[in-house]
Amino acid sequence: SNVLPEWFEFYIGLEAEASEIKTYESETVPGLLQTREYARAMYLLTAGDSDLDRKIAVRMERQAILRREPSTALSAVLNEAVLLRPVGGAHVMREQLEHLAQIAELPNVTIQVLPFSAGGHPAMTTPYVILGYADALDESFVYLDNLTNGQALEEPAHVAGYTMVHETLCGMALNPDDSVARIREASRDIQ
């Protein structure tokens, strides 16, 4: 609790209980899919080196939800820029892209790349996370964050709107197999 901001601790609690996560990222690999070294590079860029190892450990711990039983289903749409922006240098980025291609093989993980050729799209102004729960009594949430704050939206209209946007992005993105091929191609092209 003394490593992460209170507002992000709240999100981690929601994430840990989710049975389904849908996310769109425009610039970075989602935390649930990051390698240790990519996470290190991201924290150095966005949060400095204070408690760096502990922050990375928390991020790696969060990823257990993708491999536990029952596992959390993850649908991640990544803007093509995520693949092409070299975070942490060539070695770190190549390792990260290879990790994405491997984790996409999990039966509960779907990764789709939204290519530049898709043009404009409804999530151009905001990355998001939609958290759904197996218990019908638990409301779904949309989570939005930035450098200094996070916000959970639980109103059904917000959840429905972001869910519709996610479905649109999935339709505009490369299918999962073509997405993995694009990820592998981007990895090979790193200089």
Side-chain angles (χ1 to χ4, degrees):
S1 64
N2 59 350
V3 176
L4 300 172
E6 190 174 310
W7 55 267
F8 196 66
E9 285 181 51
F10 173 73
Y11 170 76
I12 290 175
L14 294 174
E15 181 185 75
E17 298 300 318
S19 61
E20 175 183 57
I21 298 174
K22 298 174 184 175
T23 187
Y24 167 71
E25 281 291 343
S26 60
E27 293 289 324
T28 64
V29 173
L32 289 176
L33 300 174
Q34 290 179 5
T35 63
R36 183 174 300 280
E37 291 308 311
Y38 185 96
R40 177 178 304 283
M42 285 302 304
Y43 275 125
L44 287 172
L45 288 168
T46 62
D49 61 1
S50 175
D51 288 317
L52 184 61
D53 289 333
R54 291 172 61 198
K55 289 175 184 172
I56 293 167
V58 170
R59 179 149 297 172
M60 297 300 108
E61 234 175 84
R62 287 174 46 212
Q63 297 176 3
I65 67 172
L66 299 177
R67 297 184 190 277
R68 70 182 179 199
E69 287 300 326
S71 59
T72 300
L74 174 66
S75 168
V77 177
L78 308 179
N79 188 312
E80 193 170 15
V82 172
L83 310 181
L84 303 178
R85 185 170 311 286
V87 173
H91 173 75
V92 170
M93 197 63 196
R94 192 174 300 110
E95 180 183 74
Q96 176 61 66
L97 294 176
E98 290 169 8
H99 175 71
L100 284 176
Q102 291 170 357
I103 204 161
E105 294 175 9
L106 293 175
N108 57 308
V109 175
T110 302
I111 299 174
Q112 291 182 261
V113 174
L114 182 64
F116 295 132
S117 61
H121 60 84
M124 290 181 74
T125 60
T126 184
Y128 60 81
V129 179
I130 305 166
L131 302 158
Y133 301 90
D135 187 338
L137 297 177
D138 290 332
E139 302 264 342
S140 294
F141 285 87
V142 173
Y143 183 77
L144 310 171
D145 75 357
N146 58 45
L147 288 176
T148 60
N149 198 2
Q151 180 180 18
L153 308 174
E154 58 185 306
E155 295 81 15
H158 290 297
V159 174
Y162 276 90
T163 299
M164 188 170 59
V165 165
H166 193 76
E167 290 170 4
T168 299
L169 292 182
C170 287
M172 295 174 73
L174 300 174
N175 70 46
D177 290 337
D178 290 343
S179 293
V180 169
R182 178 64 187 106
I183 291 166
R184 291 190 190 283
E185 177 186 32
S187 177
R188 286 190 303 271
D189 290 345
I190 293 174
Q191 300 294 324

